[in-house]
Amino acid sequence: MTAIATSTGVPVQARPRRAWAGALIGVALLVLSVASLFIGVSDVSPLALVTGGPDGRAAFLLIVSRIPRTLALLLVGATLAIAGLIMQMLVRNRFVEPGTTGVSEFATLGMLVTMVLWPGMALLGKMGVAAGFALLGTWVFLRIIRAVPVRQLVLVPLVGIMLGGVVAAVTTFFAYRLDLLQSLGQWAQGSFAGVMQGRYEFLWVAGLMGVIAWIAADRFSVIGLGEEFATNLGLDYRRVVAIGMVIIAVTTAAVLVTAGMIPFLGLVVPNIVSLIIGDNVRRSIPWVAGLGAVFVVACDILARVLRFPYEIPLSVIVGIVGAALFLWLLLRKGSRAH
Amino acid sequence: MLTEQAPLAVATPPRTLWSRPGVRMAALAAVVLALVALFLFTDVPGSLLFALKVRGLSVTAMLVVATAVGVSTVVFHTITQNRILTPSIMGFDAFYMLISTIVVFFFGATSFLTLDPLILWGVQVVVMVAFSVLLFTWLFGGKRRSIHLMLLVGIVLGTFFRSFTEWMQRMLDPVAFQVLSDAGFASLTRPDETLLLLTAILVALGCAAAIPLSATLDVLTLGEPAAVGLGVDHRRTVMILFGIVSVMIAASTALVGPVLFFGLIVANLAYAYAGSFRHAWTLPTAVLLGMVCLVGGQLVIERLFAFSATLSTVIEFAGGLFFLYLVLRKGAR
Amino acid sequence: MSATRSIAALGLVAASALALSACASTSAEGDAAAEAPAAESETISYTWDRNTVTEEGADPVYEETTVEVPVDPQKIVVFDMAVLDTIGALGGEVAGAPLESVPDYLEDHLADDAFNAGTLFEADLIEIEAQQPDLIVVGGRSAALWEDLNEIAPTIDLSMRDGFLATLEANTAFLGEVLGAEDEAAAALEELTAGIDEAKAAVTEAGGSGLGIMVSGGELSALAPSKGDGDTRGARGGLIYDVFGVDPVVEDVEAATHGEPISFEFLLEHDPEWLWVVDRDAAVATEGAQAAEVVLDNEIVNQTTAAEEDHILYLDPTAWYIVFGGIDTTQRMIDDVLQIAGR
């Protein structure tokens, strides 16, 4: 039995609830995005925008810093959540995402390689190398996971986390020998403090990946039913899997390079969406993207506000909230993990 | 599958000399002695006495840690009826760091605690043991869940604790928030002497409590219904054992910091090597194997490669691979 | 996850073990080190308030400690790079040090057969004991090693005390006395004082406020004035304000910002006239390829006065962040600050 895409039993009375949830996500997205625009060190209140602010800089900051940061947050939230969803389809397991499959750790290893070999490299190059490593990581994980029977639901993320641990140990070892641990640690720690115009644009590449995922959504749905089933339906299984792998790798690398690692997001969001509307990929992609964006923007606002004017790394906040949600998903009654 | 324990292997009488657990353990003990001797006496450029003094401390720390990790992991395996969970993988040392942070920040400010680090340490251990017994009873006390699920829960709990610790440290004292992270780095080569003594006492107490329970542990291997049928007060015994495990891990984490996979390697090698599933054999074998890993590993890394402070990274790497192997081999079956 | 943690933990350890490729080494002043060997028994007393609490961040507890230091020691083991620098510049030679932490430009100061004494955090006690040194010097982060090392040989702690300049003067004079190179020490001090005055004058002449920032992992943190303490790592960058008279653009860039990333907005908001950049990522960079330049080349920073007027000055990360004192290093810092005169 596949864990995914089999759920046909969306309760009939779920419809109004769904509409409610959808409206809620939409409103939250709007409110939080606007809030995100106006929270920061400088005075960029609506009033300052009208009057030009103390230095007449409010509008400039809005365009150069606040809008990019908010866009980056929206993009990261949406695309990471989608990448998680695609990963779950490829592996046919609810509990995977780039962070629980070693993909992020491979991308970090890629970062280390660029830091050692080409320290002055532009961000695009760094992202490319990281994406290459992430792709390799996805491939390695998919190879290893073939040995695991599908019904061992929680074994798959376990193996992924351990694989990540092993790769991370290699990275740590070399970074330690090369005295790059601190720098690498700062890269890997998810934070949007440095995001601004000119430093987030690669996330549009991730955004593009999200769009591709949306277009190919039905194929991923079919992939989720298994190789045999997909091939019988006349689908080029390998090609779809390859597309999925590229989507995951590029998204992971783009997010890692611009913001750092953001744990559990790609895992928690699709699961919650599935609780609300069921498992149809085409239907759930906008939901997943929307909820992912809401989640990240909300967490980042917390990260900015809790110790104003200094920032707490976003990954710390997401780590707490995401881990708590993940635990709830695992342990709640009726979870298939039992 | 993973939950299933091999039947007690004492039924068949040993045929060859090597299949006797006693012989195997003696051989292992000889290896440990040889390694310790190598560690202590070779490569001494200067005064032997001085080298012995420095390295003796290091070997003692290794012995204490090996004992704490070996005993606690094997006991933990028996109580939880599996061989892949270890206290560390269940997020235990992350939990320790969290408790330490909370204790330091909420009690550390009061003068009587800052005056005496011993009291602070004592409070830390007591709070830790109390909470971890509660945590484990919650996780394992109710209905049986799949081992893989528990593992995942443990790992996620670990992340949760770590994030929470970092958050607290940043919120409460941004300047000193690195101090506690510093403590999270394992160092076997230069342990604090007072701390070593305290830890040794705690671990010895834990052993003293665990050894008389060795036969009970054998019974627990049969599972809860059988154990209850044989007259074991299951709930009470398990609580006591959790307490022992907590004390030992708290003590060793306080001494050298978290070592994630060490217990897993040691305990599983011990089951394969001991030639018996009786705890009277597996417990000491695990301890001895722990010594082999630590002393041998330190020897290789320090003398052969002249690398410093990388043993924990190597254990993490090797342990991770070993874990993958265990999980995949057993999971695929 | 567990990986991130171990990276973070190890990062702290690796922090000061940074070996940077720096520019060619400047030659030492005093090479007339061939003094007559002093009598073995002759010693100088060195007394200081030793911090007996070794944990970083904890409140210090001081205890007056006196150590008899042999004059003209033959074998010196050094755990503080600034001391290594000064000893070398005064014509001395160091028999052992944590070799991995020695920056390129100080390697000349090591004896040819110098042995590895461990790391700044963990001394290789057995090796040091075997070498039977006459004098061991610790300082800063390695001060915690004092107790262990003093059992082997007379060990003194030349950590920062009473501010950078006072420490530089006291340590240089003391080491000059120990090495029998009082004149060289006095000459070097005179030159450095003059250099610092010149740099200060240049800073005053250039005018305007300044801000020291550190770039690491693509993120910025602000350097805070050291308040004369200098013991904590956060204070290291503070020399730019304390010693060279740069007027900090924000007074409350206290230690509170240490380790906390600041946003580019922070730069624009406070808009310092001069931006002093310590580039931690330049660790293995080839010369001239500043990783920080890539980070700082963006729309917001380009709007700041510092960027518009080409007032972004890069500081040698080894000198400002790792070595922290010492004769050659201070000269490098002076040279770094004097960049301001050309802008």
Side-chain angles (χ1 to χ4, degrees), chain A residues 112-192:
Chain A
L112 177 69
V113 170
T114 62
M115 287 170 88
V116 174
L117 298 181
W118 311 282
M121 195 186 229
L123 276 178
L124 185 64
K126 285 189 169 144
M127 191 189 100
V129 176
F133 274 79
L135 201 57
L136 176 71
T138 322
W139 181 78
V140 168
F141 176 72
L142 289 177
R143 292 291 302 192
I144 290 181
I145 224 64
R146 276 192 199 171
V148 180
V150 180
R151 68 200 144 78
Q152 299 253 17
L153 202 55
V154 288
L155 184 58
V156 172
L158 258 184
V159 168
I161 289 174
M162 288 306 135
L163 179 67
V166 170
V167 176
V170 173
T171 310
T172 309
F173 180 81
F174 284 107
Y176 181 62
R177 301 302 304 171
L178 296 163
D179 298 317
L180 281 172
L181 260 181
Q182 225 184 16
S183 296
L184 196 69
Q186 290 227 349
W187 271 114
Q189 184 166 58
S191 165
F192 281 78

Side-chain angles (χ1 to χ4, degrees), chain A:
Chain A
M1 285 277 92
T2 60
I4 298 211
T6 50
S7 157
T8 46
V10 181
V12 186
Q13 78 273 24
R15 237 165 223 295
R17 192 171 61 153
R18 227 192 286 157
W20 266 108
L24 198 67
I25 292 178
V27 171
L29 195 58
L30 201 69
V31 170
L32 290 172
S33 305
V34 172
S36 164
L37 290 179
F38 296 115
I39 295 172
V41 175
S42 308
D43 179 19
V44 190
S45 61
L47 181 73
L49 279 179
V50 177
T51 60
D55 312 308
R57 229 190 252 130
F60 168 75
L61 278 178
L62 186 71
I63 290 167
V64 172
S65 169
R66 300 301 170 75
I67 291 178
R69 181 163 184 163
T70 307
L71 277 177
L73 289 167
L74 296 174
L75 280 169
V76 164
T79 56
L80 263 191
I82 290 177
L85 181 70
I86 301 295
M87 190 105 208
Q88 291 165 17
M89 291 295 150
L90 294 191
V91 184
R92 298 166 72 196
N93 187 302
R94 267 275 168 235
F95 295 117
V96 296
E97 59 132 20
T100 60
T101 50
V103 176
S104 302
E105 283 79 5
F106 267 100
T108 313
L109 184 60
M111 280 298 294
L112 177 69
V113 170
T114 62
M115 287 170 88
V116 174
L117 298 181
W118 311 282
M121 195 186 229
L123 276 178
L124 185 64
K126 285 189 169 144
M127 191 189 100
V129 176
F133 274 79
L135 201 57
L136 176 71
T138 322
W139 181 78
V140 168
F141 176 72
L142 289 177
R143 292 291 302 192
I144 290 181
I145 224 64
R146 276 192 199 171
V148 180
V150 180
R151 68 200 144 78
Q152 299 253 17
L153 202 55
V154 288
L155 184 58
V156 172
L158 258 184
V159 168
I161 289 174
M162 288 306 135
L163 179 67
V166 170
V167 176
V170 173
T171 310
T172 309
F173 180 81
F174 284 107
Y176 181 62
R177 301 302 304 171
L178 296 163
D179 298 317
L180 281 172
L181 260 181
Q182 225 184 16
S183 296
L184 196 69
Q186 290 227 349
W187 271 114
Q189 184 166 58
S191 165
F192 281 78
V195 167
M196 55 164 293
Q197 198 173 68
R199 278 173 53 85
Y200 81 104
E201 278 76 1
F202 307 127
L203 289 175
W204 289 112
V205 181
L208 181 71
M209 293 295 137
V211 172
I212 293 176
W214 199 341
I215 295 170
D218 290 333
R219 284 160 210 259
F220 288 114
S221 274
V222 177
I223 288 286
L225 298 174
E227 175 164 9
E228 213 171 301
F229 195 90
T231 316
N232 285 345
L233 282 182
L235 203 68
D236 188 345
Y237 182 80
R238 287 169 155 266
R239 205 171 72 191
V240 180
V241 169
I243 294 174
M245 282 167 63
V246 170
I247 292 176
I248 293 161
V250 171
T251 307
T252 309
V255 174
L256 180 77
V257 169
T258 31
M261 276 200 218
I262 301 183
F264 297 131
L265 176 75
L267 193 153
V268 168
V269 170
N271 274 290
I272 291 175
V273 167
S274 135
L275 288 181
I276 303 172
I277 65 156
D279 289 329
N280 181 314
V281 177
R282 174 164 298 287
R283 196 142 39 96
S284 62
I285 276 194
W287 286 71
V288 166
L291 192 62
V294 167
F295 187 75
V296 171
V297 176
C299 286
D300 188 63
I301 289 179
L302 273 183
R304 271 181 271 175
V305 169
L306 282 177
R307 278 201 65 225
F308 190 82
Y310 311 114
E311 302 199 1
I312 294 176
L314 176 68
S315 56
V316 173
I317 310 258
V318 178
I320 295 173
V321 181
L325 282 172
F326 189 14
L327 283 177
W328 172 71
L329 284 171
L330 280 174
L331 295 177
R332 81 194 161 82
K333 287 206 178 73
S335 155
R336 279 182 226 140
H338 286 279

Side-chain angles (χ1 to χ4, degrees), chain C residues 86-107:
Chain C
T86 301
I87 290 180
L90 293 176
E93 215 176 33
V94 168
L99 293 182
E100 278 183 38
S101 306
V102 176
D104 286 356
Y105 71 96
L106 293 179
E107 269 171 12

Side-chain angles (χ1 to χ4, degrees), chain B residues 43-48 50-55 93-94 155-156 159 162 170 174-179 181-182 184-185 187-190 193 258 260-261 303 306 308-309 313 316, chain C residues 1-3 5-6 8-10 12-13 54-58 100 116 118-119 121-123 125-127 129-132 141 145 148 151-152 232-233 255-261:
Chain B
D43 197 22
V44 180
S47 145
L48 183 64
F50 185 81
L52 284 184
K53 201 179 124 203
V54 172
R55 287 178 184 162
D93 31 24
I155 289 172
V156 177
T159 313
R162 269 189 291 277
R170 276 181 186 265
V175 184
F177 87 93
Q178 290 185 332
V179 178
S181 338
D182 263 329
F185 187 68
S187 165
L188 280 165
T189 40
R190 212 59 207 131
E193 279 167 56
L260 203 58
F261 288 119
R303 308 284 162 81
S308 50
T313 316
E316 195 103 331
Chain C
M1 272 145 277
S2 69
R5 184 222 30 207
S6 51
L10 269 166
L12 299 163
V13 171
T54 48
E55 283 122 77
E56 211 184 318
E100 278 183 38
N116 192 359
T119 68
F121 309 93
E122 250 182 57
L125 297 174
I126 293 167
E127 181 67 30
E129 197 272 344
Q131 297 279 347
Q132 292 290 332
R141 301 212 96 194
L145 300 174
D148 285 335
E151 287 177 21
I152 301 175
T232 56
R233 208 171 351 146
T257 44
H258 179 52
E260 312 287 313

Side-chain angles (χ1 to χ4, degrees), chain C residues 263-337:
Chain C
S263 56
F264 293 110
E265 270 182 36
F266 187 97
L267 286 187
L268 187 55
E269 181 68 18
H270 298 291
D271 201 19
E273 195 94 1
W274 299 88
L275 205 52
W276 305 88
V277 184
V278 179
D279 184 3
R280 285 280 277 123
D281 288 349
V284 287
T286 45
E287 288 207 22
Q290 294 274 8
E293 262 170 23
V294 182
V295 176
L296 289 177
D297 181 22
N298 65 51
E299 283 260 4
I300 294 187
V301 176
N302 289 342
Q303 285 276 320
T304 59
T305 317
E308 275 173 355
E309 314 224 328
D310 191 21
H311 282 180
I312 301 181
L313 303 173
Y314 290 91
L315 304 173
D316 182 340
T318 322
W320 289 84
Y321 197 74
I322 308 292
V323 178
F324 204 48
I327 294 176
D328 282 356
T329 307
T330 309
Q331 189 56 51
R332 280 167 173 261
M333 294 166 82
I334 293 169
D335 293 343
D336 271 349
V337 175

